[in-house]
Amino acid sequence: MIDINNFEELFYYSHTKALFLLIIFIIFGRSFIINLKNKENDWKRKAWVNGIVSSISFIVLVFMPLDK
C-alpha cells in the first residue's frame, strides 16, 4: 500500500531541486533562443527539444509546491 507520506513526497520537492530546475530552465531557455536566432543545421529539432525541456521545468516550478 502507498502511505500518504510517500504519496505527498511525489508532489513536493525541496529547495535544492527547485534550484536545479531553475538552472535547467535558464540554460535550455537560452539555448532555445540561440537556436531560434542562428537557424544553423538542424535548428528546428534542437529548438523543439530545448523548448520542451524548458517548458516542462517551468511548469514543474510553477504548479508543484515546495517542501516546507
Side-chain angles (χ1 to χ4, degrees):
M1 257 353 243
I2 297 178
D3 189 24
I4 191 69
N5 292 331
N6 292 337
F7 184 71
E8 285 182 356
E9 288 177 8
L10 293 174
F11 296 106
Y12 286 92
Y13 57 98
S14 66
H15 296 288
T16 307
K17 291 179 184 176
L19 180 63
F20 181 69
L21 285 170
L22 182 64
I23 292 171
I24 288 175
F25 172 67
I26 292 169
I27 291 172
F28 280 91
R30 181 69 181 146
S31 182
F32 171 77
I33 292 170
I34 290 171
N35 281 324
L36 195 61
K37 286 182 181 179
N38 291 341
K39 296 185 180 176
E40 293 177 359
N41 295 341
D42 205 21
W43 70 273
K44 288 182 182 179
R45 184 173 52 89
K46 291 177 186 176
W48 270 100
V49 169
N50 291 326
I52 289 172
V53 171
S54 181
S55 299
I56 289 172
S57 64
F58 178 73
I59 288 170
V60 169
L61 283 171
V62 169
F63 292 114
M64 287 182 65
L66 284 168
D67 273 340
K68 295 178 182 178

